[in-house]
Amino acid sequence: MIQASFRIVAPPRKRDEILEVLLCLKGPTEVTRGCRSCRILQDADDANVLTCLVQWDTEEDVADHLRSERFRRLLPYIEMSVEPPQVDFSTINRVRGIEFIVEVLSTKAQ
């Protein structure tokens, strides 16, 4: 699995516009082949900090998305970031859920 992350610090007067664009692209991205999830997050301490997290099945799926017209429409908004945007692509080999917490809490510390 590949996780793509785009963190933007929106100019205050452009925040609502950028958020609207991100939200409009969320639904179509979620139904794209290989997309596991797409989340738009707002920082609790600074409403101008917006993050888009997208999980993909394969690197090929990510590459197809990056070449898409939908992604190209997002680029000018990423470039509006007041600070250099943070763009990360991470490979995730294993995802664990609540069972990991249960496992850790049920075993004795060494």
Side-chain angles (χ1 to χ4, degrees), residues 94 96-105:
R94 185 174 182 191
R96 297 175 76 182
I98 192 78
E99 75 279 355
F100 180 66
I101 295 172
V102 171
E103 178 185 324
V104 169
L105 295 179

Side-chain angles (χ1 to χ4, degrees), residues 1 21 103:
M1 179 170 55
V21 168
E103 178 185 324

